Amino acid sequence: MKIEENVPLSSLTTFRTGGPARFLISVEKKEELPQAVAFSREQNLPLVPIGHGSNMLPPDDGLPVALLKYLPNSISETEKDGKTFVIAEAGAVWDALVSYAVSRGLWGIENLASIPGTTGAAVVQNIGAYGAVIGDTLHSVEVFDTHEEKFRTFSREECEFGYRTSIFKTNADRYVIVSVMLALSSKGMPNLQYRDLTVYFEKKPIEPTLVRVRDAVAEIRTSKFPPLDTYGTAGSFFLNPIFTATSVKAIREKYPMMPVYELPEGGVKVPLAWIFDQILHAKGRREGGAFIWEKQPLVIAGEKNATTRDVLVLAEGIVKDFFAETGIKISPEVRVFGKDKEKFS
Ligand SMILES: Cc1cc2nc3c(=O)[nH]c(=O)nc-3n(C[C@H](O)[C@H](O)[C@H](O)COP(=O)(O)OP(=O)(O)OC[C@H]3O[C@@H](n4cnc5c(N)ncnc54)[C@H](O)[C@@H]3O)c2cc1C
């Protein structure tokens, strides 16, 4: 276990903003987790797990926390009752896990290719894209419960997955994800229901093999998101509001042209991107070094000089205008902290 002091968060997050974290604890094996918890208690600081920081926006004046980076990253496989289970430690790069599955001919997570970050965080957020979520294939998760100070295993049902959420997100101060077990299939079918993918394979009349679906997703994503080597970003900044079939009626009446999507996990998703584009004309909005990404209005990108403050001021302005137009309060998908969090509550 390694402990560093006053580590700049700008070096730990993909927005590349944020002041120092009081401590950064890097853990190399799961047996060290009780020690890491004890250290944060001695320091009287919250323990905050961090992966690749691709879904975090820490304050410019830093975070008085003990950050925990869980480094183990092995990927392995086991067969049970004719099914293939892939087990990845939480520090494994998510896209490396997708590549592993594809190289082994295993279907189930190819639509989630190229999402930045670690496997542990992927579960916290129930990452989703192109008509799939990690919750679809998740079998179980091993965690360290910092309250009870013991390792526990959660079944998929116990993870309480929802749209970009799980029990690990709603209890962010409690669980450290250690490893993840996915149930994948060698007899899968391509999931091309998402419009961009349907169009892709209509335009290119080739058989949608596992490799091709993964490559198509990667190609489509490259055309939508800012390149991380040039801009800071955390992908989509806001959560799409979720409605019930009844509550969506009023907003559909106001904007009859607006598309809506039924979510596999329940509820109706109203596409913010459409409202940002068609109603708020948000493209091109800017604050300091932060601006709305031209090709995808839900994405906030930052130039090299961008600060967390720039991103927050831009985001708050959009939340306010969105509310004035629709009566709906939207909230960030990206994790914000302390007083910044209150701004969106
Ligand atoms: C360009 C871009 C595109 C993106 N596209 C998508 C997309 O299509 N779909 C999508 O869902 N997301 C997307 N994201 C968001 C992001 O990639 C995911 O949320 C990802 O899972 C975050 O992984 P991370 O390791 O960077 O997590 P971090 O940002 O480091 O952490 C995210 C949260 O998880 C917690 N956490 C991290 N590790 C652990 C652990 N081991 N145990 C417990 N808690 C932990 C953290 O405390 C934090 O609350 C995108 C981001 C970028 C930059």
Side-chain angles (χ1 to χ4, degrees):
M1 187 169 100
K2 186 167 115 193
I3 301 176
E4 294 162 90
E5 276 193 74
N6 298 321
V7 180
L9 278 147
S10 54
S11 67
L12 299 171
T13 60
T14 55
F15 252 125
R16 292 190 231 123
T17 63
R22 182 72 190 88
F23 292 102
L24 172 64
I25 312 172
S26 300
V27 162
E28 279 173 18
K29 41 184 192 281
K30 70 188 231 189
E31 293 75 19
E32 292 172 349
L33 283 169
Q35 230 179 307
V37 173
F39 177 81
S40 70
R41 292 222 173 105
E42 274 160 32
Q43 299 295 329
N44 208 13
L45 292 173
L47 188 73
V48 176
I50 184 166
H52 294 168
S54 63
N55 207 30
M56 284 193 181
L57 183 64
D60 291 318
D61 57 0
L63 272 181
V65 304
L67 284 181
L68 174 79
K69 211 168 174 70
Y70 189 74
L71 298 173
N73 61 4
S74 71
I75 300 175
S76 58
E77 200 176 305
T78 179
E79 298 277 328
K80 215 167 117 195
D81 305 330
K83 287 189 188 151
T84 308
F85 296 93
V86 174
I87 301 138
E89 289 180 291
V93 173
W94 169 255
D95 201 41
L97 178 56
V98 175
S99 295
Y100 175 92
V102 170
S103 72
R104 301 283 298 127
L106 297 168
W107 293 80
I109 52 174
E110 59 285 353
N111 289 32
L112 303 175
S114 299
I115 297 181
T118 55
T119 301
V123 176
V124 175
Q125 172 80 354
N126 190 17
I127 56 165
Y130 299 93
V133 288
I134 189 176
D136 294 341
T137 50
L138 190 118
H139 174 270
S140 54
V141 182
E142 187 191 6
V143 304
F144 184 66
D145 181 338
T146 63
H147 289 190
E148 296 196 8
E149 301 205 17
K150 64 176 191 194
F151 290 94
R152 288 174 59 184
T153 300
F154 283 70
S155 67
R156 181 187 9 193
E157 290 67 35
E158 288 169 328
C159 291
E160 296 177 8
F161 285 126
Y163 167 64
R164 298 295 172 275
T165 192
S166 68
I167 193 168
F168 313 112
K169 187 165 175 177
T170 49
N171 292 267
D173 63 339
R174 180 160 182 181
Y175 302 112
V176 179
I177 296 182
V178 169
S179 70
V180 171
M181 191 191 254
L182 302 179
L184 302 178
S185 168
S186 55
K187 298 189 192 81
M189 294 275 289
N191 166 5
L192 305 180
Q193 53 173 299
Y194 202 87
R195 196 170 173 278
D196 288 354
L197 274 177
T198 319
V199 171
Y200 184 97
F201 283 100
E202 271 168 11
K203 279 194 186 150
K204 275 195 194 174
I206 48 174
E207 193 197 336
T209 60
L210 179 53
V211 172
R212 283 181 185 147
V213 173
R214 188 271 312 270
D215 290 350
V217 169
E219 194 181 318
I220 296 167
R221 291 182 66 93
T222 308
S223 68
K224 295 214 161 156
F225 288 104
L228 279 173
D229 51 2
T230 312
Y231 298 102
T233 187
S236 297
F237 193 87
F238 299 100
L239 289 167
N240 283 291
I242 305 299
F243 293 83
T244 62
T246 322
S247 64
V248 80
K249 269 193 186 143
I251 181 145
R252 286 203 86 178
E253 270 164 28
K254 188 162 180 195
Y255 308 113
M257 301 296 285
M258 184 182 73
V260 294
Y261 306 99
E262 304 268 334
L263 287 172
E265 59 267 40
V268 182
K269 180 171 105 176
V270 168
L272 280 189
W274 188 89
I275 301 180
F276 278 25
D277 237 2
Q278 307 289 323
I279 314 288
L280 297 186
H281 307 292
K283 276 183 188 166
R285 273 173 82 152
R286 163 180 286 275
E287 174 70 31
F291 63 99
I292 298 290
W293 187 243
E294 192 66 27
K295 293 175 193 150
Q296 166 55 279
L298 287 188
V299 173
I300 295 183
E303 286 158 351
K304 290 221 159 61
N305 63 338
T307 60
T308 288
R309 181 208 155 270
D310 292 342
V311 177
L312 288 171
V313 172
L314 179 63
E316 281 174 79
I318 288 173
V319 171
K320 198 165 140 255
D321 293 354
F322 194 91
F323 185 75
E325 186 62 45
T326 65
I328 300 166
K329 191 124 199 271
I330 51 171
S331 46
E333 174 180 326
V334 175
R335 182 166 179 189
V336 287
F337 296 84
K339 287 198 187 104
D340 296 341
K341 198 172 167 185
E342 286 161 23
K343 290 178 186 154
F344 295 99
S345 57

